[in-house]
Every structure is written in structure tokens, then in C-alpha cells.
Amino acid sequence: MTKEIWANLPVANINKSVEFFTKMGFEKNERFPFTDTMASFFIGEKSRFVMMLFRNDVIEGFCGNKVSDTSKGTEVLFSIDAESPQEVDQMLQKAEDAGGTIYAHGGEKDGWMYGGGFIDLDGHRWNLLHMDFSKMGK
């Protein structure tokens, strides 16, 4: 049905956001130009997800409304599957080292999930999860 799915994120400063997501280990999507108004990354290894970054004024132009104030509410929560609890903790550390904020430190939940979360430079929330389905109750 669909070839790809893209998330279009508003950002205040393309260069700072490109630096942040590069430090996170996201792969630059070279099919799209990196300019002062837009950039693109792939997320994931299996079925890759395309993340497009647009400067706030640019995305407001094609969305037809103002960018959400992420300091007052959550517009979306991105969840990324991790291979292990250690990878969750490593990604949280990368986010913090790159200038992000940890809102949920790594921890176990329900005996079969391990996760944590960070906030990027523009207030978008990201959730990292390792799920061991062999430990999941019926």
C-alpha cells in the first residue's frame, strides 16, 4: 500500500538538529538535500522510517497552522525498538551527550519490557524500548 512513511518534524535550527540526530546515530538520508530549511534521516534498520526536519516557518507554511508548543504538551511520542536494555541505556546517554533531556531513565516494566525516554532539542519526545516477548505473560 505505501512505499514509505515519513514524519515531518518542525525544528528551530536545522544545523543544530542535524548535529543532534547525527550524534544519536541516525543515518542521513542523502536522497534529500540538507539545506538551512530541511534535512532528512533514516531511523531503523529493517523497515526504515524517514524523518524529515523542516524549519518551523517552513512547516507552518505547508501545514496551514502554527507549530505546537512542546513545552506545554506532547504532540507525538516516537517509539524506537532496541535490541537490548544496554542499547536503551546507550541511546539515552547519546541523547543526553548530544544536548537532549532524559525524561524517563532506563528501567524494567511488567517483567518483559525495558525502556526510557528523551526529549530532543525541539521538545519532541522519544521512547526507547526493548521488549522480550518470551517473558510476556499470556
Side-chain angles (χ1 to χ4, degrees), residues 1 11 24 27 32-34 39 41-42 48 69-71 84 90 92 103 106 113 128 136 138:
M1 175 180 193
V11 298
M24 290 296 304
E27 178 187 349
F32 291 93
F34 280 67
F41 287 87
F42 289 117
R48 300 194 306 177
D69 182 349
T70 56
S71 69
S84 67
Q90 290 167 356
L92 290 173
Y103 74 86
M113 288 187 290
L128 304 164
M136 185 176 161
K138 293 182 180 182

Side-chain angles (χ1 to χ4, degrees), residues 33-126:
F34 280 67
T35 70
D36 65 339
T37 62
M38 69 174 281
S40 181
F41 287 87
F42 289 117
I43 302 172
E45 295 172 3
K46 296 176 186 169
S47 298
R48 300 194 306 177
F49 183 83
V50 179
M51 177 178 66
M52 300 293 297
L53 305 176
F54 291 98
R55 203 174 59 212
N56 289 337
D57 62 316
V58 174
I59 204 165
E60 286 175 350
F62 62 77
C63 285
N65 62 352
K66 293 286 184 192
V67 170
S68 298
D69 182 349
T70 56
S71 69
K72 295 182 180 174
T74 300
E75 61 188 344
V76 66
L77 175 64
F78 293 99
S79 294
I80 298 175
D81 183 33
E83 294 291 325
S84 67
Q86 294 78 20
E87 186 178 29
V88 168
D89 293 337
Q90 290 167 356
M91 291 293 287
L92 290 173
Q93 188 62 56
K94 284 181 182 181
E96 192 169 50
D97 291 348
T101 304
I102 307 303
Y103 74 86
H105 290 277
E108 190 172 311
K109 182 175 188 236
D110 298 331
W112 65 280
M113 288 187 290
Y114 184 92
F118 70 90
I119 303 169
D120 68 23
L121 302 179
D122 292 281
H124 307 292
R125 290 181 180 255
W126 297 80

